[in-house]
């Protein structure tokens, strides 16, 4: 067998394409995880951290239905699913003073809100929304920062499972999704972001947050939509 034939066979084995920008994504389902970022009540429901910062939570809720559909299909295919939650220890020992002090609202991280202590692990508001609730066997990564890799065991879990591609969904597009995609990119993961499955409180940040991922020939990754991923899974 020539090297060229070998390469073609390898390509065929890996090979399904997802229609994406700036060019098609070479999808390898067995080596790809669905990484759902911070779909927590604190960000998506009234009374949580997001609203506390002065945001309109309804802006994020449009991402729920496409995520639910994609997650359903992903689970039906038996592919890897990983969830993240942003939050802190009840004693707030992992909360930098710089993060605690920011926002200048009446209430901050660790204070009592309508869904328990804001952005604190174990509180109702910190948990994932019921529509996308994790199932047994789906790792949940608790992260103290915006990125999913910093101060977590996500990289080790992905390595142990042979994952090298990520479909990254969740909230918010320009903050935790963008930070996590950048962290993943630097660690060698190929990241695809379906635009309808991520959400921002700000329409202009939604647009720019996606543009800056796919600019310059895909500087951090690819942008697509859930329909294109579902088509590749069919
Ligand atoms: N405020 C905001 O847009 N986002 C966050 O604080 N965290 C996440 O994006 N998860």
């Amino acid at each position: 067998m020539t090297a060229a034939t070998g390469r073609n066979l390898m390509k065929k084995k890996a090979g399904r394409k997802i229609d994406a920008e700036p060019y098609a994504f070479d999808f390898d389902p067995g080596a790809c995880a669905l990484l759902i970022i911070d779909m927590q009540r604190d960000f998506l429901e009234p009374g949580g951290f997001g609203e506390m910062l002065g945001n309109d939570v309804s802006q994020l809720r449009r991402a729920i239905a496409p995520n639910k559909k994609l997650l359903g299909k992903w689970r039906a295919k038996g592919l890897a699913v990983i969830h993240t939650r942003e939050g802190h220890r009840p004693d707030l020992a992992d909360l930098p003073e710089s993060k605690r002090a920011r926002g200048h609202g009446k209430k901050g991280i660790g204070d009592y809100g309508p869904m328990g202590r804001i952005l604190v692990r174990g509180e109702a508001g910190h948990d994932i929304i019921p529509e996308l609730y994790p199932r047994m066997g789906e790792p949940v990564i608790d992260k103290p920062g915006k990125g999913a890799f910093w101060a977590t065991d996500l990289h080790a879990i992905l390595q142990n499972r042979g994952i090298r591609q990520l479909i990254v969904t969740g909230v918010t597009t320009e903050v935790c999704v963008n930070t996590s995609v950048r962290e993943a990119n630097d660690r060698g993961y190929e990241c695809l972001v379906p635009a309808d499955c991520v959400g921002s409180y700000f329409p202009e940040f939604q647009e720019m947050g996606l543009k800056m991922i796919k600019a310059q020939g895909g500087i951090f990754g690819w942008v697509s939509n859930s329909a294109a991923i579902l088509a590749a899974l069919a």
Side-chain angles (χ1 to χ4, degrees):
M1 188 193 303
T2 65
T5 319
R7 269 201 303 276
N8 286 341
L9 284 176
M10 274 169 65
K11 261 191 189 157
K12 265 203 183 116
K13 200 174 161 215
R16 304 179 189 205
K17 300 272 189 193
I18 297 176
D19 193 18
E21 291 179 300
Y23 53 87
F25 182 81
D26 249 322
F27 180 38
D28 184 359
C32 187
L34 177 61
L35 180 65
I36 308 176
I37 303 287
D38 300 359
M39 290 296 274
Q40 293 160 257
R41 299 182 64 199
D42 261 334
F43 293 112
L44 289 130
E45 294 183 4
F49 183 62
E51 195 177 73
M52 190 191 81
L53 292 172
N55 298 308
D56 171 13
V57 295
S58 70
Q59 288 289 335
L60 301 191
R61 299 192 62 83
R62 67 188 70 189
I64 297 174
N67 262 291
K68 196 173 172 189
K69 194 169 173 189
L70 180 59
L71 177 59
K73 187 74 173 178
W74 202 264
R75 282 173 170 162
K77 294 279 178 188
L79 303 178
V81 180
I82 297 181
H83 307 259
T84 72
R85 301 184 293 202
E86 180 179 351
H88 296 276
R89 297 161 49 106
D91 64 5
L92 305 183
D94 59 351
L95 174 65
E97 173 56 20
S98 58
K99 182 176 180 181
R100 192 204 62 76
R102 232 166 304 127
H104 296 280
K106 276 197 204 95
K107 286 185 178 176
I109 296 171
D111 292 339
Y112 282 90
M115 294 185 287
R117 292 180 69 201
I118 290 159
L119 234 59
V120 169
R121 293 176 191 164
E123 301 288 336
H126 172 264
D127 211 353
I128 292 173
I129 57 169
E131 295 91 329
L132 302 174
Y133 209 75
R135 281 195 185 158
M136 285 277 283
E138 296 175 355
V140 178
I141 307 290
D142 277 320
K143 62 187 185 63
K146 304 304 181 192
F149 289 83
W150 185 73
T152 74
D153 49 10
L154 176 59
H155 187 55
I157 290 172
L158 296 174
Q159 295 290 295
N160 291 341
R161 294 184 175 205
I163 300 293
R164 55 179 188 80
Q165 299 186 330
L166 299 170
I167 306 285
V168 187
T169 74
V171 299
T172 64
T173 310
E174 78 281 14
V175 183
C176 292
V177 171
N178 230 282
T179 306
S180 299
V181 167
R182 289 166 192 240
E183 285 184 327
N185 177 67
D186 280 350
R187 285 164 177 78
Y189 298 99
E190 296 177 320
C191 297
L192 175 80
V193 180
D196 56 333
C197 294
V198 293
S200 170
Y201 299 116
F202 309 96
E204 67 271 34
F205 291 168
Q206 172 77 359
E207 188 192 345
M208 290 304 161
L210 292 166
K211 270 190 179 165
M212 57 178 75
I213 289 168
K214 68 184 176 185
Q216 302 182 69
I219 195 81
F220 300 123
W222 287 257
V223 174
S224 185
N225 55 63
S226 60
I229 301 168
L230 291 169
L233 286 171

